Amino acid sequence: EAGVAQSPRYKIIEKRQSVAFWCNPISGHATLYWYQQILGQGPKLLIQFQNNGVVDDSQLPKDRFSAERLKGVDSTLKIQPAKLEDSAVYLCASVRGDTQYFGPGTRLTVL
Amino acid sequence: GEDVEQSLFLSVREGDSSVINCTYTDSSSTYLYWYKQEPGAGLQLLTYIFSNMDMKQDQRLTVLLNKKDKHLSLRIADTQTGDSAIYFCAESYYNTDKLIFGTGTRLQVFP
C-alpha cells in the first residue's frame, strides 16, 4: 500500500510570512497526527484528528498554527505568521491499530 | 510530566552488536516502540513491545523491557553500515495511542 504522502518536502520562508503543509494519509486510516520535530529532538505532537474532527489540539500554538481535515482524508497545517523558532520538520502520521505510519516530513526553515 | 530519555550517541564497529537504551516515565503505557529515522526521511517503525512482555525478538532486533525500572532497550545483532541512523523510543501516553518520543540516539557504524 502507498505510504503517507507529504508536500512540499522543503520550504524556506522569512519570518512573519505564512506557510501551509499538506498530508495525504494511508487510505482508510481514520486517525491522523501532525508532529513538530525540532533539530536534535524527538517529534512532539501538535494535533490529532479522528476522521474530520479534532481529538486533541492542546499542544497546538493556536495563535499562529491552524490545521484542518475537511473531508476526513487529506489534512493541511498552516502557520501564520511564522517565527524563527518554527524552523523544524513537520511530520504527518496516520494510524492503523496501534501503529503510527509516518510520512517523510516537510522541512521548514524560517529566516 | 512525561519524559522519555535516551543517550545521544552510540558508535559501533560493523558486525558488532548495538544496544540502545531508553527510560520512560508512564507506567500505564500499553505499548513501547522503536522507530528509525534516516537522514531526510520520516520515521520508520522497527518494532514494538506490549507492556506485559519482557522480551521480543524480530530477526536481528531484540527488545528488552524492564517495567520495574521503566527501562527499554533495543539490541541490533550484527550491526551493518545501513543501520546508521537515529533511533527513537516512544511510549504511548496514558494508555492512549498518542506517542511521547525520546530525544533519539544517533547510531554510527564504522567499518
Side-chain angles (χ1 to χ4, degrees):
Chain A
E1 64 184 352
V4 177
Q6 290 189 247
S7 67
R9 292 296 312 276
Y10 305 92
K11 190 74 177 177
I12 301 174
I13 62 172
E14 295 187 347
K15 61 183 178 184
R16 291 189 289 273
Q17 286 188 319
S18 301
V19 65
F21 315 124
W22 173 82
C23 171
N24 179 229
I26 295 172
S27 178
H29 288 192
T31 302
L32 183 150
Y33 292 91
W34 283 101
Y35 289 87
Q36 179 193 58
Q37 185 179 17
I38 293 172
L39 185 65
Q41 299 180 18
K44 287 186 168 50
L45 178 66
L46 290 175
I47 188 167
Q48 177 189 2
F49 288 95
Q50 180 77 15
N51 295 310
N52 62 348
V54 175
V55 174
D56 182 359
D57 63 357
S58 59
Q59 302 302 311
L60 190 72
K62 298 181 192 60
D63 58 333
R64 297 183 301 105
F65 286 65
S66 64
E68 60 184 12
R69 194 183 182 200
L70 291 176
K71 296 182 180 178
V73 181
D74 294 3
S75 177
T76 56
L77 176 69
K78 297 179 181 177
I79 308 175
Q80 179 180 13
K83 293 185 175 182
L84 297 177
E85 59 261 35
D86 298 331
S87 293
V89 175
Y90 291 85
L91 295 163
C92 177
S94 66
V95 180
R96 182 181 70 220
D98 297 298
T99 302
Q100 294 192 25
Y101 297 87
F102 284 81
T106 297
R107 182 177 297 277
L108 173 67
T109 302
V110 182
L111 302 176
Chain B
E2 62 280 352
D3 199 11
V4 180
E5 296 186 352
Q6 300 178 239
S7 53
L8 291 180
F9 298 103
L10 177 65
S11 183
V12 300
R13 188 179 298 277
E14 190 174 19
D16 288 350
S17 293
S18 307
V19 179
I20 302 170
N21 294 301
C22 170
T23 57
Y24 61 96
T25 56
D26 180 11
S27 58
S28 68
S29 294
T30 306
Y31 291 97
L32 294 123
Y33 300 83
W34 284 103
Y35 281 86
K36 176 183 180 182
Q37 187 175 39
E38 295 180 271
L43 279 76
Q44 173 195 353
L45 177 66
L46 286 179
T47 187
Y48 62 92
I49 188 167
F50 191 54
S51 59
N52 68 353
M53 298 170 65
D54 298 325
M55 185 183 83
K56 180 180 179 181
Q57 188 153 2
D58 184 1
Q59 300 182 334
R60 292 191 297 123
L61 305 179
T62 302
V63 179
L64 295 178
L65 175 59
N66 181 329
K67 285 196 73 174
K68 175 176 172 291
D69 295 337
K70 296 180 187 170
H71 183 264
L72 182 73
S73 68
L74 174 69
R75 178 177 181 270
I76 305 173
D78 187 24
T79 312
Q80 302 297 308
T81 54
D83 295 324
S84 294
I86 301 176
Y87 290 80
F88 292 93
C89 67
E91 63 170 342
S92 53
Y93 177 66
Y94 286 118
N95 212 25
T96 69
D97 57 3
K98 298 188 189 61
L99 296 181
I100 307 297
F101 284 87
T103 51
T105 299
R106 182 179 295 275
L107 173 64
Q108 182 175 16
V109 183
F110 57 94

